[in-house]
Amino acid sequence: MMEEGEKQSSGGRWRCRWLVDVGRWRPSPAEFQAAAAVLPPHDRPAIHRFVREEDRKRALVSRLLQYSLVHHALGMPFHQIRINRTLEGKPYLQNKNVNLPGFNFNTSHQGEYVGIASEPLCLVGLDIVCISKPQRETALEFINNFTSYLTDHEWNCIVTADSHDGMLTEFYRYWCLKEAFVKATGAGVGFGLQRLEFHHINWTNISLCIDGEEARKWMFWLFKIDEMHLASIAKGHPEDAIDSFRRTLSDVVIQEGELHTAIEIPEEAFTLLTVEHLIQLHD
């Protein structure tokens, strides 16, 4: 699932899949401040608004990943990189690049991992979930809280799993895929997840129907990071980006053939990096 260090993918340096295990990063206060100092000054206060140390770590690593990826992909010094967010919370690069008109990226964090994915042409969405067992209710009671976000087909697939653990895993797979899609489009939490219905063959050949109609310009992949964490990648056509996000992309027309090829490129293993790797990229 994961490979140590950096590697080049078939999409070149612009197409990245990076993960950091924040659970293994236990910085001293001085080490934390040193890592935060790598970021531009205007991006540091957002990290310190979190009360819990684990949340501050995730926020810091998420931003380090964004700046490190843009630096790696486009060769920009950290102080020149301008990352902003749409009203819906979708991060985007303000710096325009005519050579990569569709360059976009997406971050996710849950449990022990923070990740980022980027694409030079097609939309990309990343979601990470931690398959945590509910403490005060059964698996079925827990999943029942989310019935309004699931279709009848998905619900039936979940509840017919062979165990409570199986039901939880099935639920999180569907949830992970739905989140990856809405994050790719920039829609965020405002999108009705019950409009999305996923189909699959043993969790390969995953397809999506939106309001009952097959989304032919999208492809999806699921990955097992470890026994407790899953990740999903969604790739699709820029025309499906919501307005606020589409306005952040270049107006340059991309050939349909190029887009189709970019969407269908098979997914490779994530690259597992450390915070030290990210700081070295800055150097």
Side-chain angles (χ1 to χ4, degrees), residues 4 17 25 27 29 77 81 85 149 182 184 211 220-221 256 272:
E4 295 283 350
R17 306 288 188 267
W25 186 47
I81 298 170
R85 288 179 176 269
Y149 303 106
V182 298
D211 298 326
F220 300 86
W221 290 263
E256 287 294 318
L272 183 61

Side-chain angles (χ1 to χ4, degrees), residues 69-88:
L69 183 142
V70 172
H71 173 68
H72 169 80
L74 305 181
M76 291 183 188
F78 273 40
H79 70 274
Q80 291 182 8
I81 298 170
R82 296 291 181 266
I83 294 174
N84 209 336
R85 288 179 176 269
T86 65
L87 289 175
E88 294 80 12

Side-chain angles (χ1 to χ4, degrees), residues 35 52 54 132 225 264:
R52 296 175 64 246
E54 292 304 306
S132 54
I225 300 175
E264 290 201 336

